[in-house]
Amino acid sequence: MRKQIIIGNWKMYKTNSEALNFIKEVDSKIVKNSNLIAGIGVPFTALSDAKKAAKNLVIAAENVHFEKEGAYTGEISIPMLKDLNVEYVIIGHSERREMFNETDETVNKKALALLANNMIPVLCCGESLEIFEAKKTKEWVENQITKGFNQISAADAKKVVIAYEPIWAIGTGKVATPEIAQEICKIVREKIASLYNQDVANEILIQYGGSVKPENIKEILNQADIDGALVGGASLIPDSYLGLVNFK
Ligand code: 13P
């Protein structure tokens, strides 16, 4: 049976002090459950202290550079994250693709570099409203997955967490219906089966993201091919976050 994985993505919210207050309030209230990974992606400035403060919460980074080091002003490297014992890193979020020139190629380089360092990429994919309305979601997402997984071995592919986030459902309050979310997550899993094999497809964790809240998470996670959620807005407030991860 696959585990479930719920990760908050704080984006550019919360100072280090605010992050620490949140963790102080939330961490001890995470119900221990070996089948659930409960995490938050925090801004770089909060990573070090958040990692030290969190006992139950998994602390993720929201981005990383694929090069080990170099003249890349403003970037953060994998060794920098490893030194803080960060394990999970969100890559290829649509906001980074749309606003910061992230491409399938850079996402792939980041995934390869993270896996080579025994870290776990949370690889985001998802289509715009235009593509959704043109009924081209399947081809779009399959292409993102094919390119994102380029040269990744089957053994490593299993470790990747895929987050399917339709752009039209992010921060809009417009959640994809559980049926749509399931349909696309199934397409993603089938694509992984065709790129690798059924074993990899059965093991890989696939999240849905886009206006997930405590009120709708249960129905979303009840879908056969959805193993978790990547949550923006609703992960910022302690009670709401706890409502997400203690949803049962
Ligand atoms: P919202 O949950 O605020 O729609 O954001 C989703 C998201 O982008 C998570 O990465």
Side-chain angles (χ1 to χ4, degrees):
M1 216 185 78
R2 292 189 295 268
K3 285 190 180 189
Q4 288 183 317
I5 178 162
I6 300 170
I7 302 181
N9 173 13
W10 278 357
K11 310 190 177 184
M12 198 174 75
Y13 290 98
K14 294 197 194 289
T15 62
N16 188 42
S17 323
E18 288 165 347
L20 279 177
N21 286 339
F22 179 101
I23 292 167
K24 216 177 279 170
E25 191 168 342
V26 167
D27 193 70
S28 62
K29 297 187 188 138
I30 302 289
V31 178
K32 288 213 168 50
N33 175 350
S34 56
N35 284 319
L36 175 74
I37 299 163
I40 29 173
V42 308
F44 287 135
T45 46
L47 269 178
S48 177
D49 283 353
K51 272 300 289 180
K52 286 181 203 140
K55 300 280 171 279
N56 298 310
L57 284 164
V58 165
I59 303 297
E62 297 179 18
N63 186 27
V64 74
H65 198 281
F66 50 82
E67 292 290 353
K68 202 170 130 215
E69 58 184 9
Y72 300 103
T73 303
E75 290 292 319
I76 298 288
S77 72
I78 288 175
M80 292 171 191
L81 297 182
K82 265 194 99 102
D83 187 54
L84 303 180
N85 298 313
V86 170
E87 198 184 356
Y88 288 80
V89 184
I90 300 169
I91 57 171
H93 191 281
S94 59
E95 287 151 14
R96 296 216 58 88
R97 291 177 189 256
E98 288 191 326
M99 293 183 272
F100 303 98
N101 299 324
E102 190 83 85
T103 63
D104 288 326
E105 288 68 34
T106 58
V107 171
N108 176 243
K109 283 185 183 176
K110 290 177 184 194
L112 283 163
L114 286 166
L115 291 162
N117 283 280
N118 295 315
M119 292 166 79
I120 301 178
V122 179
L123 192 158
C124 303
C125 62
E127 81 288 6
S128 65
L129 184 59
E130 201 184 348
I131 292 164
F132 176 71
E133 286 181 341
K135 303 199 185 327
K136 297 212 166 97
T137 300
K138 181 174 188 287
E139 296 89 308
W140 180 267
V141 171
E142 283 182 343
N143 184 49
Q144 285 183 321
I145 295 297
T146 303
K147 291 185 170 161
F149 278 77
N150 186 32
Q151 295 191 352
I152 294 178
S153 69
D156 275 346
K158 287 180 182 179
K159 301 173 195 160
V160 177
V161 177
I162 300 174
Y164 165 60
E165 301 201 301
I167 298 168
W168 49 271
I170 295 177
T172 57
K174 244 194 232 174
V175 62
T177 62
E179 292 73 25
I180 295 176
Q182 160 59 22
E183 183 190 332
I184 310 305
C185 289
K186 183 163 185 263
I187 286 170
V188 169
R189 199 176 299 284
E190 285 168 356
K191 188 69 206 169
I192 292 294
S194 84
L195 290 173
Y196 297 97
N197 55 53
Q198 199 55 49
D199 262 11
V200 176
N202 289 343
E203 272 190 49
I204 201 162
L205 298 181
I206 303 178
Q207 299 175 307
Y208 165 78
S211 298
V212 177
K213 298 178 192 63
E215 302 80 59
N216 60 22
I217 192 165
K218 195 169 171 180
E219 204 184 353
I220 291 166
L221 294 201
N222 272 341
Q223 305 301 314
D225 287 292
I226 304 181
D227 308 308
L230 190 59
V231 188
S235 73
L236 289 165
I237 297 158
D239 279 351
S240 170
Y241 182 86
L242 287 165
L244 291 166
V245 296
N246 298 333
F247 65 92
K248 281 196 172 123

